[in-house]
Amino acid sequence: MNQLLAILTLTCLAVASCAQTVPKEKFTKASDIVWASPGGFNLTMDVYTPNTGKASYPVIVMFHGGGWLINNKSIMNEPAAYLASNSEYVVCNVNYRLLGDQNNTVKMNEIVNDVFGAVLWVKENISKYKGNAGQLIVTGDSAGGHLATMVLVQGNNLESDGFAGNTLGFTPTYLPKGKTAEQVAKENGLAVQAALISYGAFDLYGSALGGFEKESNIFWSIGKAKARGLFGDGINPSDNPAPYKQVSPLYTIPKASERKLPPMLFTVGSKDNLTTPASIEAFMAKLKEAGHTNMEYWVHEGRPHAFLDSGSSQFLGTSFQKDAPPALDKMIAFLNKVFY
């Protein structure tokens, strides 16, 4: 596990900023919009609107990767710009809290709360940026892929008392005015119409058992935080597996007879040693067991983890300009079949 984490960390550290490959006039960008401030901690997003003259566009809500401990939305600047320039989708590039934020007190369920809140904020406000709130796509890579998948499988599990009560539900960081978490769930308020999941992590319970919460996970030191439990000190996956499984899509897939999931595209690099093709295929098999069949799978041959990141990595020999466009073009083609 340490070797895999080192590979991903070196990838993140080696990312260098590079010029966008498309002229800015292909889209209009609204930067650093504050959409919520939990505990006074501002959460922001960038919104990219294509300049193709349409009155309204479907909306992609994007969550970055980084092991829930490092990076921010800037790592997705180039993918967001590429999508807004080469397709007709509004793109929302979202910041959420990391585990090390707020004096290293953020819990994994609170990160999920942020992601759920971002989707609800987009639904209420995206019309100001020519987005169609009834045509939403969630996407993310690695940790962001996990978070986007949580919208699909746990978006109806909302409770005002969150993880503090006898049952474990989520309380979105942003709620529509006058509505409770329970009301949003009853109205299916977090429903989305498609998902693009890139090399996502689906089993945080297994990751915690494997050492994620220990100092040997160098993401903690890179994120300048002391290693601890995902739900605070005193809670561990061996003695209390329930919260870990509740934030793990692998264990929370709804049956299609109860709730049908939207069209999904899963992508992964053939040389990804962190979220391997086998792990993606195993999750897709679980989806099929539950009756979900509206999905596609694409393997990016010869590519490792993090092939969507902005910039370049000398260590892995990858760069956005070389490696990301084929994957993004695949995503655009998939979405066009759904929405156009």
Side-chain angles (χ1 to χ4, degrees), residues 208-284:
L209 288 173
F212 184 93
E213 298 172 318
K214 298 179 179 179
E215 290 288 350
S216 55
N217 172 3
I218 56 176
F219 274 176
W220 290 103
S221 60
I222 297 300
K224 299 180 180 180
K226 183 180 178 182
R228 60 171 177 82
L230 297 178
F231 301 96
D233 292 329
I235 299 177
N236 65 74
S238 297
D239 297 330
N240 193 0
Y244 293 86
K245 290 188 174 182
Q246 200 73 327
V247 297
S248 298
L250 187 67
Y251 306 100
T252 56
I253 298 170
K255 292 182 178 180
S257 58
E258 299 171 357
R259 184 159 61 90
K260 191 174 181 181
L261 299 184
M264 296 168 280
L265 171 66
F266 293 88
T267 67
V268 67
S270 66
K271 294 185 177 180
D272 193 330
N273 293 319
L274 187 62
T275 53
T276 64
S279 71
I280 309 304
E281 291 159 14
F283 182 68
M284 293 180 67

Side-chain angles (χ1 to χ4, degrees), residues 94 131 133 160 208 279 317:
V94 178
S160 295
S279 71

Side-chain angles (χ1 to χ4, degrees), residues 113-195:
N113 290 345
D114 289 351
V115 166
F116 287 4
V119 173
L120 292 174
W121 186 94
V122 168
K123 287 195 175 192
E124 274 211 318
N125 294 277
I126 203 61
S127 62
K128 302 172 188 174
Y129 307 92
K130 296 188 177 181
N132 183 344
Q135 294 182 312
L136 248 63
I137 304 108
V138 287
T139 189
D141 71 312
S142 195
H146 157 259
L147 294 170
T149 307
M150 285 293 292
V151 176
L152 304 180
V153 301
Q154 287 277 51
N156 278 15
N157 182 20
L158 307 180
E159 299 179 1
S160 295
D161 60 359
F163 271 35
N166 295 327
T167 55
L168 302 176
F170 298 92
T171 308
T173 301
Y174 174 90
L175 285 166
K177 188 175 181 180
K179 290 188 178 180
T180 65
E182 288 81 3
Q183 287 172 321
V184 172
K186 186 177 181 180
E187 297 169 2
N188 203 21
L190 277 166
V192 297
Q193 287 65 55

Side-chain angles (χ1 to χ4, degrees), residues 284-298:
M284 293 180 67
K286 287 285 187 181
L287 287 169
K288 290 176 182 176
E289 285 178 17
H292 303 287
T293 58
N294 194 356
M295 67 184 91
E296 293 185 17
Y297 179 50
W298 183 74

